[in-house]
Amino acid sequence: KPQVELSPTHITHGVVPIMVASFLSGLAGAVTQKSLQWGKGRHALLFTLELCVASLLLLTASFATSEDGRSIRERGFFDQWTFHTLIPILTNSLGGILVGLVIKYAGTVRKGFALIFGILLSGLMQSLVDENKSLSKEDMAGGVLAALSLWLHATNPYVSPSSASTPDVIDENFNKKTAQTRRKYKSKKEE
């Protein structure tokens, strides 16, 4: 393989924007999860509707200033629409509602794992359907790492420091360890 030299524009126009977007995505996910799960929690569908209204306001501002907005004003909003135009609109809408529900009931981290797993499944399906496309070593390594991280997250759940250090939990753990030690000692003594 030929060596690829990284120019400063690779960093400023590639790595940095991706890092910033990843940070903002994680921050948005954490804020959304806190909003949906705090106290009794907000209604996920109402929250999704609020996000839609904010998106409409931003799109309206874009409509007034962009080249696409000028084209829509000249030809009309529904110009060249067909029945098939509704498919991405409906799937995007249902996807937004589903993401809100997943964040509310499963959390942002699990949503991220589901996203990674979905990308992996899409790659597998694409390699099965299209004979010209196959999974690369990097794709397979990414899938293995994603599966490993999902397994680690599922088998090692978070325990808040306040609940782990309460006297009841400490006494219970002490009693379990003491019982295990006594059994080991007793079995060695019997041998």
Side-chain angles (χ1 to χ4, degrees):
K1 286 184 175 181
Q3 291 288 338
V4 177
E5 289 191 34
L6 295 179
S7 68
T9 56
H10 284 96
I11 303 297
T12 59
H13 291 79
V15 175
V16 172
I18 288 173
M19 297 290 282
V20 170
S22 297
F23 171 76
L24 290 175
S25 175
L27 180 64
V31 169
T32 301
Q33 181 175 344
K34 185 172 183 178
S35 173
L36 290 171
Q37 294 178 347
W38 187 262
K40 291 182 178 180
R42 299 183 62 195
H43 196 281
L45 296 177
L46 180 61
F47 185 77
T48 303
L49 182 64
E50 291 168 353
L51 290 177
C52 289
V53 169
S55 295
L56 281 173
L57 293 174
L58 291 172
L59 285 173
T60 302
S62 171
F63 177 76
T65 59
S66 71
E67 193 65 33
D68 288 334
R70 186 180 62 76
S71 175
I72 291 171
R73 286 190 301 274
E74 289 173 0
R75 294 193 239 156
F77 186 76
F78 296 105
D79 181 49
Q80 297 183 358
W81 274 45
T82 65
F83 175 74
H84 296 289
T85 309
L86 295 176
I87 294 171
I89 293 171
L90 293 175
T91 55
N92 194 14
S93 302
L94 293 174
I97 293 169
L98 182 64
V99 165
L101 292 170
V102 167
I103 289 175
K104 180 174 177 80
Y105 295 109
T108 305
V109 174
R110 289 186 181 156
K111 180 201 70 113
F113 284 130
L115 175 68
I116 293 167
F117 189 67
I119 292 170
L120 180 65
L121 281 179
S122 295
L124 286 171
M125 293 302 293
Q126 187 175 17
S127 68
L128 291 174
V129 172
D130 190 354
E131 295 173 5
N132 297 329
K133 301 212 177 189
S134 64
L135 292 176
S136 67
K137 290 181 221 171
E138 292 85 1
D139 295 335
M140 288 186 242
V144 168
L145 288 173
L148 178 65
S149 64
L150 180 59
W151 177 77
L152 285 171
H153 181 73
T155 57
N156 299 292
Y158 174 74
V159 177
S160 67
S162 61
S163 67
S165 61
T166 59
D168 294 338
V169 173
I170 292 171
D171 289 342
E172 184 180 325
N173 290 337
F174 178 76
N175 291 337
K176 285 180 184 176
K177 288 180 182 177
T178 303
Q180 289 172 349
T181 306
R182 286 182 184 158
R183 275 181 283 198
K184 285 180 186 177
Y185 178 73
K186 189 176 180 181
S187 66
K188 288 182 181 179
K189 194 175 177 182
E190 290 174 355
E191 292 175 0

